Amino acid sequence: MRTPPAVAGLPGPRRAHGPLTPPIGGRLDLSGPQGARLRTAIASVHRICPEFQPVQVMRRGGRSVLLVGTVGRGPAVAKCLLDHSPARVERFRREIAVYRAFVRHRPPVRVPRLIAADPDACALVAERAPGRPVALQRHPLEPPSPADLRSVLGAVRRVNAWQPPADRFDAPVDYGLRIARYHELGLLTDRDLSDLRKLLHGLARGGGRRQFCHGDALLTNVLVSPAGPVLLDWEHAGWYLPGYDLATLWSVLGDSPAARRRVSQLAQAAGRDARDAFLVNLMLVLTREIRSCETAVQRAMRDPGPAAGGERSGQMSTGEEQRLLLRRLHDDCAMARRAVRAAVGTR
């Protein structure tokens, strides 16, 4: 059986550049328009958990806010949705449903314990698990240490080997529809569409086995602690073609050829179907990352911010970082495309 290039773990030719600025954080500032939105979020949280005492904003964006605080004597985090578009609401409700399912069906890794939640208000409160994140950026500038990588891969493999009741979790990705949509958007070529459909057809003939996945297995979503790794943000969890979590990890490990090689080896260890499922996942994940990065580049071009000052001081602007990342993602996608074509040739 021929091994396609991406499965062999070939590294991307350039460094992966992510934002240098860590996620927004700081003490509670309830003044101004942002403060008004924050007060609304806190009120939503207090309706489901009056005992929650907010202390700090861990992350705030246009879609959600994450607050650090306490419930009784224990540390806790509260998440409240700000963007109530149908897709965001559905995703938030799925996250709550997953945490509730974990009460009766405990996963083989540590996850934050749900304290309170309201799917209608799109608010939840959970324990704040101890540990440090493996990375602070989606596409980290520095590769994870060997110990951290072993911890992440060990946690992901335990999740992927888990067999919870099939009816307790859904399948977040309709592969045929997503491939068709990316093709309609011009993100996939006609040849990509044909090749990916051939791999999906071959997988269906082999039984179309699904695997339970975290669904967003980024390094930023893994905490390492003396008690073992903790996985966060389960809103995308469910049944996928095998290798989805490994494809997600591969996509953000552009600065670590050795780590990518290890991920690829794990992805193909179970044979041809596992390899092909990984490649389908990899093409979809990389295409999604390209789409997101292109949006970020366009946003940076509209609002360059203090780019000149950063360039004078010898630092890259955020827009330049995103352009370099986009270039690397396109190189990675070209590599995955060649691997997909080689895999089709073995069918």
Side-chain angles (χ1 to χ4, degrees):
M1 180 178 67
R2 293 168 57 195
T3 300
V7 175
L10 294 179
R14 296 178 179 87
R15 292 176 60 83
H17 290 275
L20 295 176
T21 305
I24 296 173
R27 295 185 178 181
L28 292 176
D29 179 6
L30 302 180
S31 61
Q34 290 293 334
R37 300 184 76 187
L38 195 55
R39 289 194 299 271
T40 300
I42 292 173
S44 297
V45 172
H46 279 162
R47 280 194 289 272
I48 64 170
C49 186
E51 299 84 6
F52 180 76
Q53 296 298 320
V55 174
Q56 188 180 23
V57 177
M58 177 180 289
R59 185 174 69 240
R60 177 171 53 200
R63 297 169 179 171
S64 64
V65 61
L66 195 65
L67 299 165
V68 178
T70 59
V71 174
R73 296 184 178 182
V77 294
K79 183 177 180 181
C80 189
L81 195 64
L82 300 176
D83 174 7
H84 286 262
S85 62
R88 294 289 168 187
V89 170
E90 179 186 358
R91 190 176 301 170
F92 199 96
R93 289 175 177 172
R94 180 186 296 124
E95 183 175 13
I96 292 174
V98 168
Y99 278 118
R100 286 177 170 172
F102 284 168
V103 174
R104 295 190 63 183
H105 308 284
R106 296 186 62 83
V109 295
R110 184 172 178 185
V111 301
R113 177 178 59 86
L114 184 66
I115 297 174
D118 184 351
D120 295 326
C122 291
L124 66 83
V125 180
E127 69 167 336
R128 187 183 185 189
R132 60 171 177 81
V134 175
L136 296 176
Q137 300 138 346
R138 186 180 188 90
H139 293 270
L141 290 170
E142 299 296 331
S145 69
D148 283 354
L149 181 64
R150 285 195 299 271
S151 183
V152 171
L153 289 177
V156 166
R157 293 180 72 186
R158 289 195 296 275
V159 170
N160 296 161
W162 188 41
Q163 291 290 323
D167 60 347
R168 298 299 297 172
F169 303 93
D170 60 9
V173 174
D174 185 316
Y175 283 86
L177 287 179
R178 182 162 297 188
I179 290 170
R181 186 170 79 250
Y182 284 167
H183 176 254
E184 291 172 359
L185 292 171
L187 299 169
L188 294 174
T189 66
D190 292 345
R191 176 69 182 272
D192 293 334
L193 179 67
S194 175
D195 287 346
L196 291 172
R197 283 177 171 173
K198 287 177 181 177
L199 291 186
L200 284 179
H201 180 70
L203 291 168
R205 291 180 60 186
R209 185 177 70 86
R210 294 293 176 121
Q211 180 184 71
F212 188 81
C213 293
H214 177 277
D216 200 21
L218 304 168
L219 300 178
T220 51
N221 285 336
V222 183
L223 303 179
V224 290
S225 71
V230 184
L231 268 61
L232 311 175
D233 292 346
W234 290 81
E235 63 191 62
H236 300 281
W239 298 101
Y240 294 80
L241 288 177
Y244 190 89
D245 285 340
L246 293 177
T248 301
L249 282 172
W250 194 98
S251 73
V252 299
L253 287 170
D255 270 329
S256 182
R260 277 189 163 181
R261 191 173 300 112
R262 177 60 177 152
V263 169
S264 298
Q265 290 169 350
L266 292 175
Q268 67 172 336
R272 184 180 66 176
D273 281 359
R275 176 205 66 186
D276 291 353
F278 171 72
L279 288 175
V280 171
N281 286 320
L282 187 61
M283 280 294 293
L284 294 188
V285 168
L286 288 171
T287 303
R288 179 199 64 201
E289 293 297 305
I290 288 173
R291 186 183 184 191
S292 177
C293 193
E294 286 178 341
T295 301
V297 169
Q298 293 169 1
R299 188 184 303 119
M301 292 176 64
R302 291 194 302 267
D303 183 19
E311 290 170 354
R312 283 195 300 268
S313 64
Q315 297 178 352
M316 288 184 295
S317 67
T318 300
E320 181 64 18
E321 293 166 6
Q322 292 292 337
R323 283 190 288 272
L324 289 172
L325 171 59
L326 182 58
R327 185 186 306 167
R328 195 267 289 169
L329 288 171
H330 276 294
D331 290 341
D332 287 346
C333 197
M335 186 192 311
R337 180 175 288 114
R338 291 192 297 270
V340 166
R341 292 177 181 175
V344 169
T346 67
R347 279 284 173 182

